[in-house]
């Protein structure tokens, strides 16, 4: 077990990691944050432990990267208790796997900046979340799965602009580092959360308003030119 109880006032006070740390039991935040972002270190909750984190906006959170084990089974979900920064608040994300054949570790990192390649995406860099998430299926202990979904939370302060903007119609994109390319994802959005589904791989995720047009599905309607008598009922079939 590990308890973070640093002197000072949340969220100003924090403990900076000098290496990765593994917590086999419960990680409890009483007063203060864990800063893994500065030195690019992470908190690991392995398969051998309970993997429980007790965190809140009033007590503390992980700022940086968090690695958690996912066991085999169906509809397996875990929360990632990550904060937007050291001084804002906790904005946890979550991952859900429809079916896992072989258990393994997922790493989620929350970066306090726009993605360095955001200018090459279809997201408007002036109307977006100025943050991005890196989600990694740990190659050392990979998860064998069918599909996955992610819910990515963020603060209003992270939005550009951060007032008077609706996220209705915003999109998520994932950046494939090996291909140096972006892919648009099916996205369900709320005021401070983006949800993406049917993932078969991971990468860097960004979220914002689409700039320009995005090609959508081709829709066909049958019958095309029907004849119908007045007062009769006609049914149509649409195929995307």
């Amino acid at each position: 077990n590990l308890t973070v109880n640093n002197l000072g006032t949340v969220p100003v006070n924090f403990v900076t990691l000098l290496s990765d740390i593994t917590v086999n039991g419960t990680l409890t935040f009483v007063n203060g944050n864990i800063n893994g972002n500065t030195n690019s270190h992470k908190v690991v909750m392995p398969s051998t432990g309970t993997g429980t984190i007790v965190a809140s906006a009033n007590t503390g959170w992980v700022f940086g990267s968090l690695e958690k084990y996912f066991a085999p089974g169906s509809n397996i979900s875990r929360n990632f208790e990550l904060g937007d920064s050291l001084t804002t608040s906790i904005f946890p994300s979550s991952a859900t796997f429809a079916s896992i054949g072989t258990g393994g570790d997922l790493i989620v990192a929350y970066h306090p900046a726009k993605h360095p390649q955001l200018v090459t995406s279809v997201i408007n860099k002036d109307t977006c979340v100025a943050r991005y998430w890196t989600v990694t299926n740990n190659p050392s202990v990979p998860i064998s799965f069918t599909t996955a979904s992610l819910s990515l939370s963020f603060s209003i302060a992270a939005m550009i602009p951060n007032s008077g903007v609706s996220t209705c119609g915003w999109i998520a994109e994932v950046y494939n580092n090996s291909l140096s390319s972006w892919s648009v994802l099916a996205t369900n959005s709320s005021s401070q959360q983006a949800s993406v589904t049917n993932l078969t791989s991971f990468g860097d995720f960004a979220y914002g308003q689409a700039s320009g047009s995005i090609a959508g599905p081709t829709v066909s309607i049958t019958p095309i030119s029907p004849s119908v008598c007045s007062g009769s009922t006609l049914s149509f079939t649409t195929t995307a």
Side-chain angles (χ1 to χ4, degrees):
N1 297 334
L2 175 65
T3 299
V4 178
N5 190 6
N6 197 22
L7 295 177
T9 304
V10 173
V12 177
N13 58 309
F14 54 86
V15 176
T16 299
L17 296 182
L18 299 179
S19 64
D20 291 355
I21 61 169
T22 298
V23 182
N24 287 298
T26 300
L27 171 57
T28 303
F29 288 90
V30 175
N31 193 59
N33 303 320
I34 289 179
N35 175 17
N37 185 71
T38 299
N39 298 316
S40 299
H41 294 303
K42 62 182 181 291
V43 177
V44 181
M45 314 294 282
S47 61
T48 54
T50 60
T52 301
I53 296 180
V54 180
S56 73
N58 295 322
T59 59
W61 55 84
V62 176
F63 175 53
S65 301
L66 185 55
E67 178 174 344
K68 288 192 175 185
Y69 174 77
F70 284 74
S74 300
N75 295 318
I76 306 300
S77 181
R78 303 292 301 273
N79 290 326
F80 288 78
E81 294 80 359
L82 297 169
D84 181 65
S85 68
L86 287 173
T87 59
T88 307
S89 187
I90 185 171
F91 287 93
S93 296
S94 65
T96 302
F97 290 88
S99 178
I100 295 178
T102 303
D105 287 9
L106 191 73
I107 307 168
V108 178
Y110 192 22
H111 305 284
K114 296 178 185 177
H115 194 280
Q117 297 299 322
L118 188 65
V119 292
T120 64
S121 77
V122 299
I123 290 176
N124 185 342
K125 63 181 179 60
D126 296 317
T127 310
C128 65
V129 175
R131 305 287 189 270
Y132 70 99
W133 300 259
T134 297
V135 182
T136 306
N137 191 0
N138 190 336
S140 298
V141 278
I143 305 169
S144 173
F145 67 98
T146 53
T147 59
S149 60
L150 298 173
S151 292
L152 308 171
S153 300
F154 52 89
S155 69
I156 292 177
M159 297 173 63
I160 300 176
N162 55 26
S163 64
V165 177
S166 170
T167 59
C168 180
W170 281 27
I171 63 166
E173 282 195 278
V174 60
Y175 185 77
N176 185 314
N177 284 282
S178 61
L179 298 177
S180 299
S181 64
W182 291 93
S183 299
V184 178
L185 303 170
T187 312
N188 296 315
S189 63
S190 62
S191 59
Q192 290 178 248
Q193 185 178 80
S195 298
V196 292
T197 58
N198 295 320
L199 298 170
T200 56
S201 62
F202 302 103
D204 296 341
F205 293 83
Y207 181 57
Q209 184 184 71
S211 57
S213 61
I214 299 175
T218 300
V219 178
S220 61
I221 302 176
T222 54
I224 297 175
S225 302
S227 298
V228 62
C229 297
S230 175
S232 300
T233 300
L234 179 64
S235 298
F236 288 92
T237 300
T238 61
T239 303

